[in-house]
Structures are given as C-alpha cells and as structure tokens.
Amino acid sequence: MNLADPGMDTLRQWLLQRHPHLSSIDDSLDLFENKLIDSINFVEYILIIEELIGREIPFANDLVARTATLRRVWENFLADAVPV
Amino acid sequence: MNSFSKLTLVTENDDFVSRVNKLTSLSRERVRHTFGEISWPDKIDTEAWWLPPELLSVHGTRYEQEMSLEQKKLLSKWECINLFSLNVEGERELVSRLSSRLYQPEVPGLENYLHHFIDEENKHMWFFGEFCRRYGGKIYSSKKMAIAEETYSPEMEYFLLFARIGIFEEIGAYFNVAAASDERMDPFVRQIHQIHHADEARHITFGRALLAQTKELAFASSSAEQRDRAIAHLQRYVQISVEALYQPAMYRDSGISSGVAMRRELLNDGARRKLHEESFLKRPLRFFADLGIHLTANPQ
Ligand SMILES: [Fe+2]
Ligand SMILES: [Fe+2]
C-alpha cells in the first residue's frame, strides 16, 4: 500500500525519472540497498525533502537510516510537516 | 590497515623527507595565535561584497542578469556562509581522519608535519565556524554522506584520503586567492581568506608531494577493478564538491524561492559547466592528470 500524499508523489516522480526501467516504487523498498540512491543523488534527495518540509535537515549520522524507504521519510519528516 | 603496507617506503626518499621537514619548519616559523588574533566586528555590512561577484554561483547565467545589485550582494553573504560552512565540514573530516592515523605503524611516520597540519586545520575550523555562527546564525550542511561501504588496499585508502583532501583544499584555495586580493570585498571577510590561504599553500604543497610519492604504491597494490573503483570514487568526490557550491538554502536565504530547481538549472548551465572546468577545478584536475588519473569537471 502506497500513501497518497503530494510530497510522497514528488519523491516517487523524482525516483522514477532517475530509474525509467521501474514502473512504481513501493513505500517499503530500501532505496539504498536496491541502489536507487547513491552518494551523489542522496544530496538532492535530502534537499527535496527539506524543500517539502520547509526547513533544513541538520547533518546526523542516522540520516541514511531515517530516509532508507519512502515510508520512513513519511514517518520521520513529512507526516507532521506543515505544507509549504 | 595491515602491517605489511608499503607506505612506509615514502620516508626512505630523502628528497621527499627534506621537503616535509622544510614545511614543518615553515609551520613553526609562521605559527599564528589565531584564537587571540582575530577581532570580530559586531556586524558585516550587507551592502558590502562578501564574495567577489564573479565567484557567485549565478555568475554567467540569466540569474545574474535578472538580480538587482542588492540581491546579488545579499546572495554573496549567503554564498560566503556556504563556502565557510563547507570548510568547517571538510576540515572536521580531515582532522578526524588524519588524527586517527597518527603513530600507526603501517603509515609513513610524518607525524612531525601532521601535527602542524591538524593544528592549523583545527584553528581554521574554529574561525570558519565562529564566522558562520556570528554573521549567518548557522552552519549549512552539504549532506555529503557515504552510502556504500568501499574497501581498498591500505595503500589505496591512504592515497584516496590525501587525494580527497587535495581536491577539497585546491578548490578552497581558488576562492581564497581570488577573494583575498579583491578590493571590492568587505575587508574583514578578505582578511579571513588571507589568514586561511597563508596556511593552505603549505598543505597543498605537502599533499601534492605525498600524492606523487604514494600513487604508484597505491595502484600497484590494487587490482584493475579496485583501480577503476578508486578513480570512480574520486570522480564522485569532484562532482559532490562542485554541487555543494550550489546550496539551495543560500538561494532561499537570499529571498529566491525555488532553491532545488534553481540549483538544478545552474548545474546544467553551459556557462557554469565551462567555469567549473576553467576556474577552480583547473589546477587540481591537471595535477591528477599528470599522475595519470583523468577526472572530468562535469558529469555527462
Ligand atoms: Fe583549512
Ligand atoms: Fe588545509
């Protein structure tokens, strides 16, 4: 089950654009283990999340773990963000 | 690292050792008591240039045409805060990685010099961090993060560490040199660039000499696959370093709304791509090419 949310859609679109061979992305898919995100586009991935929530995300060692799946991005960042 | 690393061979090269000793003496002669030396102004004028306009990330693009002078000066403030934030980040990693190798038997015994290197970077990190907090109220994060675990031979790991440091320092030096000599700049910001570059010139000399000494050892100790991976690693590091100059938060802090879209547009702008190649990446990429490592300024 994938969550219906404009922010989540933005991230899905961004991922699908980078991986045209995929037709959909499950919210529970590990994006790092499945190599959908590498160290280069990780930066843009976090920058998009920042823009969606309207605040900067400080450097933290658990940032990879907290953004490994779209569901975790939802739980850790998008769910209680005020729409901007 | 295992104890059979061939890295210790570099200290058998008399010419290299005497160059490092010379740098050590220079560090001692020119030691600065940075913590007491800097007198921080209460504020820095937002009508001043905090970075020369030609060094702004919008230089050569439609944004430069469309922005007013006031906007560009405001952007120069946040671009300066971003540059100094990148220095804090890079120097923090450098200090931690260099410190963790001190007095390890398998790396060359260059501690005499490395203590100065770390000492100087520790001071830089202090004044850059202090500057960002005082005049920007924050330190930007580049979101640079290692995603996949990579393993190399001890020799290659050591080489890659100094190669990344070299790329980081040479990009920084380009900005330091240009900003330090620019009379349109705010005098205090200029002074920070001058103080930094006085030390960086030695670090770059050291790094280049060490990389030239260790390149063959690193490549000889690696398989063809590992060598390709190492070069790809450096290529990614170049790209991440370039992209970090286009921090979306600094556009937003300057009152430009779409940070990420603007960053993407600037990174794809032909004038910017040409500039990456011909300005701050010119020297480091030529140095690596001379070592036989061909890196490009822009991804395809
Ligand atoms: Fe430094
Ligand atoms: Fe340095």
Side-chain angles (χ1 to χ4, degrees):
Chain A
M1 249 312 272
N2 282 358
L3 260 157
D5 171 79
M8 293 285 272
D9 281 340
T10 303
L11 291 169
R12 286 184 196 113
Q13 285 313 314
W14 179 79
L15 285 164
L16 288 172
Q17 244 173 37
R18 264 146 204 80
H19 303 283
H21 59 286
L22 297 177
S23 54
S24 67
I25 289 159
D26 196 88
D27 285 355
S28 58
L29 182 74
D30 190 307
L31 305 170
F32 303 115
E33 267 174 25
N34 289 285
K35 299 198 183 337
L36 265 59
I37 294 180
D38 63 14
S39 58
I40 289 180
N41 52 33
F42 176 73
V43 176
E44 187 164 314
Y45 176 58
I46 300 301
L47 293 175
I48 293 172
I49 300 171
E50 283 188 341
E51 209 154 81
L52 289 170
I53 64 177
R55 63 176 172 84
E56 282 162 51
I57 298 172
F59 173 88
N61 289 321
D62 64 353
L63 195 52
V64 169
R66 278 154 54 87
T67 55
T69 68
L70 290 176
R71 182 167 303 279
R72 270 188 240 161
V73 174
W74 172 261
E75 289 164 356
N76 292 311
F77 297 100
L78 300 188
D80 42 39
V82 189
V84 283
Chain B
M1 286 197 187
N2 66 55
S3 51
F4 304 107
S5 138
K6 294 199 173 63
L7 288 166
T8 50
L9 288 173
V10 309
T11 49
E12 286 170 21
N13 180 325
D14 294 340
D15 182 49
F16 174 70
V17 170
S18 79
R19 289 172 76 183
V20 175
N21 288 342
K22 173 81 185 139
L23 290 167
T24 305
S25 334
L26 282 175
S27 274
R28 289 183 184 166
E29 279 164 33
R30 297 177 187 173
V31 66
R32 300 192 69 144
H33 302 281
T34 318
F35 296 106
E37 246 173 47
I38 298 179
S39 41
W40 301 94
D42 288 340
K43 65 185 220 36
I44 298 172
D45 209 338
T46 40
E47 274 159 41
W49 288 107
W50 296 44
L51 199 65
E54 296 77 18
L55 294 189
L56 294 179
S57 65
V58 294
H59 176 59
T61 70
R62 71 175 177 94
Y63 288 98
E64 188 182 40
Q65 314 284 315
E66 291 162 7
M67 289 167 77
S68 68
L69 185 63
E70 289 71 36
Q71 265 184 314
K72 278 184 268 196
K73 285 186 170 168
L74 182 60
L75 179 61
S76 82
K77 168 184 173 173
W78 293 110
E79 295 228 4
C80 168
I81 299 289
N82 185 52
L83 269 185
F84 289 1
S85 297
L86 291 173
N87 280 333
V88 172
E89 232 176 46
E91 287 165 347
R92 180 174 54 202
E93 187 178 350
L94 185 161
V95 166
S96 115
R97 290 190 188 258
L98 288 187
S99 303
S100 71
R101 282 170 176 77
L102 290 173
Y103 303 104
Q104 301 283 10
E106 64 279 7
V107 298
L110 301 169
E111 281 78 13
N112 265 351
Y113 182 68
L114 289 176
H115 278 294
H116 291 291
F117 200 148
I118 292 167
D119 169 53
E120 289 157 7
E121 295 299 359
N122 179 54
K123 289 169 175 160
H124 302 166
M125 211 193 318
W126 169 71
F127 62 68
F128 284 127
E130 187 69 15
F131 185 101
C132 291
R133 282 198 184 151
R134 276 179 190 256
Y135 308 116
K138 62 170 150 187
I139 296 174
Y140 288 131
S141 157
S142 76
K143 278 77 186 174
K144 191 159 55 184
M145 192 86 83
I147 300 291
E149 205 52 60
E150 295 180 53
T151 48
Y152 296 102
S153 69
E155 290 87 350
M156 185 60 94
E157 231 170 75
Y158 191 77
F159 176 80
L160 290 176
L161 168 62
F162 281 95
R164 289 194 308 269
I165 291 175
I167 293 166
F168 162 66
E169 296 204 308
E170 297 224 17
I171 294 175
Y174 180 86
F175 284 89
N176 287 154
V177 169
S181 61
D182 195 310
E183 292 183 355
R184 297 166 298 176
M185 287 272 293
D186 174 86
F188 179 71
V189 185
R190 249 181 100 180
Q191 191 200 349
I192 296 286
H193 284 280
Q194 281 159 357
I195 296 174
H196 190 230
H197 191 64
D199 290 340
E200 288 304 299
R202 291 191 301 280
H203 301 169
I204 291 171
T205 304
F206 171 77
R208 286 185 164 222
L210 184 58
L211 289 169
Q213 290 297 311
T214 52
K215 193 259 172 178
E216 285 310 322
L217 295 171
F219 277 59
S221 70
S222 306
S223 66
E225 185 270 334
Q226 285 171 324
R227 291 197 285 266
D228 288 347
R229 231 171 356 96
I231 294 171
H233 171 91
L234 290 181
Q235 184 62 66
R236 276 198 305 279
Y237 187 79
V238 168
Q239 190 181 342
I240 286 181
S241 305
V242 170
E243 294 188 359
L245 298 170
Y246 298 82
Q247 163 70 263
M250 71 190 188
Y251 304 129
R252 285 194 298 267
D253 287 334
S254 312
I256 305 164
S257 55
S258 59
V260 177
M262 177 165 171
R263 172 182 193 265
R264 226 177 265 151
E265 184 183 332
L266 289 172
L267 283 168
N268 285 316
D269 190 295
R272 296 306 305 168
R273 292 167 70 90
K274 190 158 179 277
L275 244 146
H276 300 157
E277 198 175 328
E278 293 173 357
S279 63
F280 53 82
L281 287 174
K282 192 172 170 186
R283 291 188 72 226
L285 296 195
R286 195 170 52 207
F287 170 76
F288 281 101
D290 288 345
L291 287 183
I293 298 174
H294 299 277
L295 305 171
T296 62
N298 297 293
Q300 266 65 61

